Amino acid sequence: MTAQIAIEDVSLRFISKQGPLQVLDNVSLTLHPGEFVVLLGPSGCGKSTILNMAAGFQQPDTGRVSCKGVPVSRPHPSRGMVFQQSHLFPWLSVLENVTFGPRLGKHDKAQLDKQAREWLARVGLEGFEHHAPWQLSGGMKQRVALARAWLPQPDVLLLDEPFGALDAQTRMMMQELLRGAWLTTGTTALFVTHDVDEALFLADRVLIMSARPGRIVDQVVLPFGRERDIDTLARQPDYQQIKHQVLQRVREEAKRHWQPVL
Ligand SMILES: Nc1ncnc2c1ncn2[C@@H]1O[C@H](COP(=O)(O)OP(=O)(O)OP(=O)(O)O)[C@@H](O)[C@H]1O
Ligand SMILES: [Mg+2]
């Protein structure tokens, strides 16, 4: 099976006035078609940098990044990205924001608008197509960002703490929304979070990174199956034990980097 995304032996350091900073050290990870993989790791270990490389925004110093066997050299609509902030254009309406990227190519406008409306309805924003971003709540903006990412039917969705700024209730609804859409579209997902419960609800596999320079130090394959109910998952027999194991591992790595002075 060809990997949807293959990151092989990738290392990267940033050079700045303060000197070189080794950020990634020999990182390898493979995303198989249709998988949902979550990356967990201490702040500053290079998670966003990995997503940026998979998206094509950043090139590694050494190693290879490929998408279905083809080297990734620049961003492409087949690899969508969702960030912690929605980054909507404030002067465009919700509908125009969702269709902005595909409109730059040769697309049938009426067809695009129809598909965008379908996605907006799916994320619960029917009736908000002509609102401006500033008329939306934080959760609504992130739903627009999800609709925008899904419209071009990406093979891979790269999500960098997309729900990090949301309250707990909205966050759970967004997790359900994302998982539902992932199940029906078959999109491959690489998702970064610091929230272990979020990781356990969403992922097929969780990858744990070391403190900087980031390496993948552990992998946990989750046994919860495809049908997951967010309200009852935590009562599954293995849940608490796996949560504890993952949390401990992430904390171990985080402490290696720094500990708060009390
Ligand atoms: N463009 C850049 N130039 C210089 N250094 C950078 C650049 N981007 C990131 N870094 C550094 O690379 C390291 C990894 O950054 P990255 O954003 O990938 O971390 P992260 O794991 O996503 O952290 P967080 O969980 O806090 O979002 C950090 O130490 C950061 O300072
Ligand atoms: Mg980050």
Side-chain angles (χ1 to χ4, degrees):
M1 190 172 18
T2 312
Q4 195 63 260
I5 295 280
I7 295 178
E8 298 167 89
D9 304 323
V10 155
S11 296
L12 176 73
R13 63 179 186 163
F14 285 115
I15 312 279
S16 65
K17 273 192 291 192
Q18 292 76 25
L21 184 71
Q22 189 73 34
V23 174
L24 297 175
D25 176 24
N26 237 354
V27 170
S28 294
L29 73 91
T30 304
L31 292 185
H32 302 294
E35 254 196 321
F36 202 121
V37 174
V38 170
L39 264 186
L40 282 172
S43 177
C45 74
K47 302 178 296 296
S48 297
T49 306
I50 289 181
L51 291 201
N52 287 336
M53 287 195 315
F57 295 130
Q58 177 79 52
Q59 298 298 317
D61 293 334
T62 58
R64 291 162 303 282
V65 180
S66 57
C67 179
K68 288 197 258 186
V70 179
V72 170
S73 56
R74 63 174 85 96
H76 190 270
S78 65
R79 297 184 304 276
M81 189 126 174
V82 184
F83 304 91
Q84 188 168 8
Q85 303 299 330
S86 54
H87 296 296
L88 302 178
F89 294 122
W91 61 90
L92 296 180
S93 70
V94 164
L95 187 71
E96 288 164 342
N97 264 286
V98 173
T99 55
F100 181 80
R103 254 175 218 262
L104 299 176
K106 288 183 190 145
H107 289 281
D108 173 351
K109 181 181 170 326
Q111 180 66 11
L112 263 186
D113 281 356
K114 181 171 170 288
Q115 288 167 348
R117 283 173 190 280
E118 283 166 11
W119 269 110
L120 285 169
R122 189 157 177 182
V123 300
L125 289 176
E126 206 166 16
F128 288 89
E129 294 85 354
H130 300 295
H131 279 57
W134 53 268
Q135 293 174 301
L136 305 181
S137 70
M140 290 162 89
K141 285 184 200 162
Q142 279 309 78
R143 283 188 267 162
V144 177
L146 277 181
R148 177 179 60 185
W150 250 307
L151 182 67
Q153 299 179 306
D155 296 327
V156 181
L157 212 47
L158 304 159
L159 304 113
D160 196 357
E161 302 191 55
F163 311 143
L166 304 179
D167 68 89
Q169 308 313 322
T170 309
R171 192 172 179 138
M172 281 169 79
M173 289 174 67
M174 296 294 286
Q175 290 162 0
E176 286 182 294
L177 169 67
L178 173 63
R179 199 173 154 80
W182 167 72
L183 281 171
T184 52
T185 56
T187 311
T188 308
L190 182 57
F191 186 103
V192 169
T193 184
H194 288 279
D195 179 337
V196 175
D197 287 307
E198 181 165 84
L200 297 198
F201 174 61
L202 292 173
D204 293 320
R205 270 194 299 146
V206 175
L207 301 177
I208 299 170
M209 290 184 67
S210 68
R212 195 182 57 238
R215 285 172 295 114
I216 310 280
V217 290
D218 227 331
Q219 161 173 286
V220 181
V221 178
L222 299 180
F224 306 129
R226 286 178 85 81
E227 300 306 316
R228 295 181 196 180
D229 175 0
I230 204 164
D231 295 317
T232 58
L233 184 66
R235 294 204 292 273
Q236 289 232 3
D238 299 343
Y239 189 91
Q240 295 305 333
Q241 185 263 322
I242 294 173
K243 180 176 173 181
H244 183 70
Q245 175 196 345
V246 171
L247 209 49
Q248 281 302 107
R249 197 68 184 89
V250 175
R251 272 178 60 71
E252 245 172 60
E253 288 303 327
K255 281 189 200 160
R256 217 190 283 274
H257 192 50
W258 70 277
Q259 292 207 43
V261 180
L262 301 173

